[in-house]
Amino acid sequence: MRQVKIGLVGCGTVGGGFLDILHKHHDDFMQHAGVDLVLHKATTRTLSKLEKCGVPKECIVESYHEIIDDPNIDMVVELVGGTGVATDVILDALNAGKHVVTANKAIMATRGQELFHAADEHGVEIAFEASVGGGIPIIQPLKHALISNEISAVLGIVNGTTNYMLTEMEKGLDYEDVLKKAQELGYAEADPTADVEGYDAAAKIAILASIAFNSRVLQSDVYTEGITSIKPDDFAHAAEMGYTIKLLAIAHKVDGQIDVRVHPTMIPAQHQLANVNGVYNAIYVVGDAVGDCMFFGEGAGAGAAASAVMGDVIEVARHITSNSGITVGCTCTDNLEIREIGKLETKFYLRIVADDKPGVLASVSKVFAAYGVSIRSMIQPSVADGETAELIFVTHTAKDSDFETALAEIEKLDCVQEIGTMIRVEEE
Amino acid sequence: MRQVKIGLVGCGTVGGGFLDILHKHHDDFMQHAGVDLVLHKATTRTLSKLEKCGVPKECIVESYHEIIDDPNIDMVVELVGGTGVATDVILDALNAGKHVVTANKAIMATRGQELFHAADEHGVEIAFEASVGGGIPIIQPLKHALISNEISAVLGIVNGTTNYMLTEMEKGLDYEDVLKKAQELGYAEADPTADVEGYDAAAKIAILASIAFNSRVLQSDVYTEGITSIKPDDFAHAAEMGYTIKLLAIAHKVDGQIDVRVHPTMIPAQHQLANVNGVYNAIYVVGDAVGDCMFFGEGAGAGAAASAVMGDVIEVARHITSNSGITVGCTCTDNLEIREIGKLETKFYLRIVADDKPGVLASVSKVFAAYGVSIRSMIQPSVADGETAELIFVTHTAKDSDFETALAEIEKLDCVQEIGTMIRVEEE
């Protein structure tokens, strides 16, 4: 059996997990998948990490260029992360005619087209299952088992950190306390911006939407809101109305355009995604033939991500070993427009803090009516102090831009002290 | 682009769905997947069905032999079902050097080895994603994205009929009423045996276990119990203890042996599988790297199954079009023993109907103790008549054979009127 020689760049937690699997299962992969994987060279910023992971000294090199320049290496596994040197590693590898496996969502969501162009030009593959949803198979299913479907929607809980935080907030804890707990547990980073502001999820839904709709979606195309304005009370109000709140990454195909966004979302409590709690991830896909389906699993962690990376490595190695060539390259064959958020038609949850006196509801309702926003339900929980009132609205379907304009006017009303939380509602 | 010519045998609901997709999306498949699929010939028992599905008259043939004998046909799609003529269709097609796509669980679960042998000998593929879980991608993920994992467990709700029935029974309805309702809705057949006795699920878990553990498992290897003895009260008792009841198809790798079975199973109410209701299916997979993951979707219906069939057709067509050869054939490289049910170690739920007098619990406990079965909890709901008592036990982990022997002795006790329901408990 022909050996498939791997060059590894990057040895953080996922790289460590990858080396663990290779060490443990090399012989199984020979027997079960018919591939003989060999780590030929490896490098990372701190070379001692590679030794600690059991990489023989003779395989450790100081620069990734030694990997790119080695004609014996078939495949480069890029696990550096970020958009700095990782970009050079991937592009140099592809341009040197080496297959690439990466977990890098940031690059795939911003420079996918360029990478696929380079891969195509040099007749090699680029695989990135681990870039979304950790170990959950989702990119392969979209490109293969579900390929017969016209996909109309992809809805995902794709950020474990914020899902853990929202799950804890649902129990009544405050955002700040939950963030601290998440940081202590290692679920959130010291600077949690990328997670809590939704940027991480935005990169992932850009990747999924590109594949699902056969049209390039960039991270910058994704309308993005984070979870920082959600209050524990919002969960209580949501529960009262039969909903829960998740940070959803959402992509729809609507009238030939792509509606793609990340924001806190109210979903019915009985929706499959409502039961995805803690650091787990899930991606819900709607296709014209398959109907609704969902892929659930661990969205983070060394083992889960390494499972996906190694799955890609074995897949590419099978193609190399059987000399089969590439059957699926870039799938972005179409060029659909991105639909701006203002055109979105959806329902809204809104919490307003106002003076506790008659006429508030009338004033607010009047503004809504003027912009064609119809109210489906309103609750007014009792507030202890007797001076402020909380009004919770859920609207019927309205245009996002109309709702936002109405909201700006409501904020100016004398009787309104504060606009609390606004959460879009997804019923599908 | 080279045309890929398809011969279709069988045109029931799935065949109709398949033709719908082909008609609707032929051009999309050219653009998005790079394959030009053409229905070249088709046959089925009642030929008028094909015309009704829009198949041109010149494509309709009277016998499947005309498809096998046509050297232009690349691929045979077998949607006859059952183990009669379908077996000949598949074997003849493979032996004629044609690729085969099938939804036939019964054949795959009984004669898989023979089929793979024929496919291998003639250098063709056999694909069967639709044989398990309708449209849910599960066979491809096990063979590809999850291939880096040593799978330790596969737990599935793989029969929509019984899952619908159990979901309704949980609301308090009797088995007979629910079965009637399921038949009226078209979810259950006039003869519901294959579903309610667990045979359908047994075929499916045989297929999944074969792939997950790289070792051939036959339907006859699967210990199988159906749902006919479950009572609505069992759901109430289960709920009281924090569980629900599902017909699970279960496969574990234990000490190098395969434990594979289908039976009603108590699972914790917060388990992901506990939220899979109605006719939906889900398959839960545990791997050493990926951890826990789950695949959820519509397990039946023309569209869902046809989605999987067409997914396979496109996959095979991509290989034909790119002339890439076959990278994954039979994955049953190992030869693991099947573990007999008696060796199973699990917890048990047991409902006993006994005389309402002192000493019953003592008598029953004594028998359990004699066989090393330790009781974790017991509840005794009040029964109106004053003459009979119901005792509900949940045991600690015990050996299945010991439990069964104890049960046989308990049944002989004078104070015991009837052994009610016995349900194995799965906590994982």
Side-chain angles (χ1 to χ4, degrees):
Chain A
M1 194 184 302
R2 173 202 194 296
Q3 283 191 335
V4 173
K5 293 201 168 70
I6 296 166
L8 172 67
V9 185
C11 188
T13 51
V14 181
F18 174 79
L19 290 168
D20 279 351
I21 297 178
L22 183 59
H23 184 70
K24 188 173 164 194
H25 287 309
H26 169 270
D27 294 354
D28 296 326
F29 298 156
M30 280 188 79
Q31 179 163 352
H32 298 150
V35 294
D36 182 4
L37 302 178
V38 177
L39 182 71
H40 194 65
K41 282 183 180 165
T43 190
T44 193
R45 196 178 304 182
T46 311
L47 296 181
S48 59
K49 278 193 187 171
L50 289 164
E51 273 187 72
K52 271 185 205 152
C53 289
V55 177
K57 272 194 174 171
E58 62 271 23
C59 293
I60 299 175
V61 295
E62 296 217 353
S63 153
Y64 83 85
H65 293 289
E66 294 179 61
I67 290 171
I68 305 293
D69 294 342
D70 186 334
N72 292 312
I73 288 177
D74 300 291
M75 188 188 325
V76 172
V77 177
E78 182 279 304
L79 298 175
V80 179
T83 52
V85 68
T87 313
D88 300 329
V89 172
I90 295 177
L91 276 170
D92 289 356
L94 295 172
N95 287 326
K98 298 186 191 312
H99 304 281
V100 169
V101 172
T102 177
N104 198 315
K105 60 186 174 282
I107 293 177
M108 294 312 300
T110 52
R111 300 180 70 169
Q113 189 163 8
E114 190 182 347
L115 301 188
F116 271 110
H117 184 77
D120 199 36
E121 201 173 328
H122 296 279
V124 290
E125 286 188 78
I126 175 160
F128 49 102
E129 180 65 72
S131 64
V132 182
I136 304 170
I138 181 62
I139 290 175
Q140 278 201 17
L142 285 173
K143 288 191 174 190
H144 295 271
L146 296 177
I147 188 71
S148 66
N149 286 268
E150 179 170 7
I151 306 288
S152 56
V154 178
L155 311 174
I157 295 172
V158 289
N159 181 271
T161 306
T162 48
N163 201 49
Y164 167 80
M165 290 175 66
L166 294 177
T167 303
E168 292 298 300
M169 286 174 71
E170 193 157 19
K171 298 172 190 164
L173 298 172
D174 271 328
Y175 174 84
E176 292 302 336
D177 294 338
V178 168
L179 175 58
K180 213 179 138 203
K181 199 171 155 190
Q183 286 169 326
E184 282 165 8
L185 288 166
Y187 295 159
E189 297 185 39
D191 175 1
T193 312
D195 291 323
V196 300
E197 296 295 354
Y199 305 144
D200 173 84
K204 290 166 178 171
I205 194 68
I207 295 170
L208 293 180
S210 297
I211 300 167
F213 304 137
N214 296 103
S215 182
R216 181 71 52 200
V217 176
L218 299 173
Q219 182 172 349
S220 54
D221 292 327
V222 182
Y223 173 83
T224 307
E225 275 178 29
I227 63 163
T228 54
S229 67
I230 308 290
K231 301 272 180 280
D233 279 357
D234 294 319
F235 285 98
H237 302 323
E240 195 179 335
M241 295 181 283
Y243 292 90
T244 189
I245 302 166
K246 295 289 183 187
L247 182 69
L248 285 199
I250 300 173
H252 284 107
K253 191 151 81 172
V254 186
D255 302 332
Q257 293 184 319
I258 296 174
D259 154 36
V260 60
R261 47 201 159 94
V262 169
H263 52 66
T265 311
M266 271 184 35
I267 54 174
Q270 70 275 17
H271 194 287
Q272 282 295 318
L273 286 170
N275 294 311
V276 176
N277 292 317
V279 293
Y280 279 94
N281 279 199
I283 299 110
Y284 200 89
V285 179
V286 184
D288 64 344
V290 75
D292 294 13
C293 55
M294 191 179 84
F295 303 79
F296 164 93
E298 295 182 17
S307 163
V309 170
M310 188 59 87
D312 277 346
V313 166
I314 292 173
E315 197 63 22
V316 173
R318 280 166 160 167
H319 299 162
I320 295 171
T321 304
S322 64
N323 204 12
S324 70
I326 296 156
T327 56
V328 182
C330 182
T331 54
C332 291
T333 49
D334 301 354
N335 192 11
L336 306 182
E337 256 180 60
I338 304 295
R339 195 178 178 88
E340 60 189 82
I341 186 76
K343 286 187 181 165
L344 173 68
E345 305 211 336
T346 191
K347 295 166 187 166
F348 298 86
Y349 161 100
L350 178 68
R351 183 167 50 81
I352 291 176
V353 183
D355 298 343
D356 188 11
K357 61 184 185 189
V360 174
L361 179 57
S363 305
V364 172
S365 307
K366 200 178 153 192
V367 178
F368 273 140
Y371 290 94
V373 178
S374 168
I375 294 164
R376 192 176 64 175
S377 62
M378 195 279 292
I379 54 176
Q380 190 166 346
S382 55
V383 177
D385 71 356
E387 291 185 3
T388 62
E390 256 195 348
L391 281 79
I392 316 294
F393 296 92
V394 174
T395 73
H396 283 287
T397 299
K399 219 171 123 184
D400 206 286
S401 56
D402 291 341
F403 184 84
E404 295 281 359
T405 315
L407 205 57
E409 291 221 3
I410 288 167
E411 197 167 10
K412 287 183 219 151
L413 292 175
D414 284 341
C415 61
V416 169
Q417 300 176 8
E418 192 194 342
I419 299 291
T421 319
M422 182 277 276
I423 304 175
R424 292 178 184 84
V425 181
E426 194 82 22
E427 303 271 8
E428 191 174 13
Chain B
M1 194 184 303
R2 173 203 195 293
Q3 284 191 334
V4 174
K5 293 201 168 71
I6 296 166
L8 173 67
V9 185
C11 188
T13 51
V14 182
F18 174 80
L19 290 168
D20 279 351
I21 297 177
L22 183 59
H23 184 69
K24 189 174 164 195
H25 287 308
H26 169 269
D27 295 354
D28 295 326
F29 298 156
M30 281 189 77
Q31 180 163 352
H32 298 149
V35 295
D36 182 5
L37 302 178
V38 177
L39 182 70
H40 194 65
K41 281 183 181 166
T43 190
T44 192
R45 197 179 303 184
T46 311
L47 295 180
S48 60
K49 278 193 188 170
L50 289 164
E51 274 187 72
K52 270 184 206 152
C53 288
V55 177
K57 271 195 175 171
E58 61 272 22
C59 293
I60 300 175
V61 296
E62 295 216 354
S63 152
Y64 83 85
H65 293 289
E66 294 178 61
I67 290 171
I68 305 294
D69 294 341
D70 187 333
N72 292 312
I73 287 177
D74 300 291
M75 189 188 324
V76 173
V77 178
E78 182 279 305
L79 298 174
V80 178
T83 52
V85 68
T87 314
D88 300 329
V89 172
I90 295 176
L91 276 170
D92 289 357
L94 295 172
N95 287 326
K98 297 185 192 312
H99 303 282
V100 169
V101 172
T102 177
N104 198 316
K105 59 184 175 283
I107 292 177
M108 294 313 300
T110 52
R111 300 180 69 171
Q113 188 163 10
E114 189 181 348
L115 302 187
F116 270 109
H117 184 78
D120 199 36
E121 199 172 330
H122 296 279
V124 291
E125 286 189 75
I126 175 160
F128 50 101
E129 180 64 73
S131 64
V132 181
I136 305 170
I138 180 61
I139 290 176
Q140 277 200 17
L142 286 173
K143 288 191 173 190
H144 296 271
L146 296 178
I147 188 71
S148 65
N149 286 267
E150 179 170 7
I151 306 289
S152 56
V154 178
L155 310 174
I157 294 172
V158 290
N159 181 272
T161 307
T162 48
N163 201 49
Y164 167 80
M165 290 175 67
L166 294 177
T167 303
E168 292 299 300
M169 285 174 72
E170 192 158 20
K171 298 172 189 164
L173 298 172
D174 271 327
Y175 175 85
E176 293 301 337
D177 295 338
V178 168
L179 176 58
K180 212 178 139 203
K181 200 173 156 190
Q183 286 168 327
E184 282 165 10
L185 289 166
Y187 295 158
E189 297 184 40
D191 175 0
T193 312
D195 292 322
V196 300
E197 295 295 355
Y199 305 143
D200 173 84
K204 290 167 178 169
I205 195 67
I207 294 170
L208 293 180
S210 296
I211 299 168
F213 304 137
N214 296 103
S215 182
R216 181 71 53 199
V217 176
L218 299 173
Q219 182 171 348
S220 55
D221 292 327
V222 183
Y223 173 83
T224 307
E225 277 178 28
I227 63 163
T228 53
S229 67
I230 307 290
K231 302 272 180 280
D233 280 356
D234 294 318
F235 285 98
H237 302 323
E240 196 180 334
M241 294 181 283
Y243 292 89
T244 189
I245 302 165
K246 295 288 183 187
L247 182 68
L248 285 199
I250 300 172
H252 284 106
K253 190 151 81 172
V254 187
D255 301 332
Q257 294 185 318
I258 296 174
D259 154 37
V260 59
R261 47 202 159 94
V262 170
H263 53 66
T265 312
M266 271 183 35
I267 53 174
Q270 70 274 17
H271 195 287
Q272 282 294 318
L273 287 170
N275 294 312
V276 176
N277 292 316
V279 293
Y280 279 94
N281 279 198
I283 299 110
Y284 199 89
V285 179
V286 184
D288 64 344
V290 75
D292 294 13
C293 56
M294 190 180 85
F295 303 79
F296 164 92
E298 296 183 15
S307 162
V309 170
M310 189 59 89
D312 278 345
V313 166
I314 292 172
E315 197 63 20
V316 173
R318 280 167 160 164
H319 300 162
I320 294 171
T321 305
S322 64
N323 205 13
S324 70
I326 295 155
T327 55
V328 182
C330 182
T331 53
C332 292
T333 48
D334 301 353
N335 193 11
L336 306 182
E337 256 180 59
I338 304 296
R339 195 177 177 88
E340 60 189 79
I341 186 76
K343 286 188 183 164
L344 173 67
E345 304 211 336
T346 190
K347 295 167 186 166
F348 299 86
Y349 161 99
L350 178 67
R351 183 169 50 81
I352 291 176
V353 183
D355 298 343
D356 188 10
K357 61 183 185 191
V360 173
L361 179 57
S363 306
V364 171
S365 306
K366 199 178 154 193
V367 178
F368 272 140
Y371 290 95
V373 178
S374 167
I375 293 165
R376 191 177 65 175
S377 62
M378 195 280 293
I379 54 175
Q380 189 167 346
S382 55
V383 177
D385 70 357
E387 291 185 2
T388 61
E390 256 195 348
L391 282 77
I392 317 293
F393 297 92
V394 174
T395 73
H396 283 288
T397 299
K399 219 170 122 184
D400 205 287
S401 55
D402 290 341
F403 184 85
E404 295 281 358
T405 315
L407 205 57
E409 289 220 5
I410 288 168
E411 197 167 12
K412 286 184 219 150
L413 292 174
D414 283 343
C415 61
V416 169
Q417 298 177 11
E418 192 194 342
I419 298 290
T421 319
M422 183 277 276
I423 304 174
R424 293 177 184 83
V425 180
E426 194 81 22
E427 304 270 7
E428 193 173 17

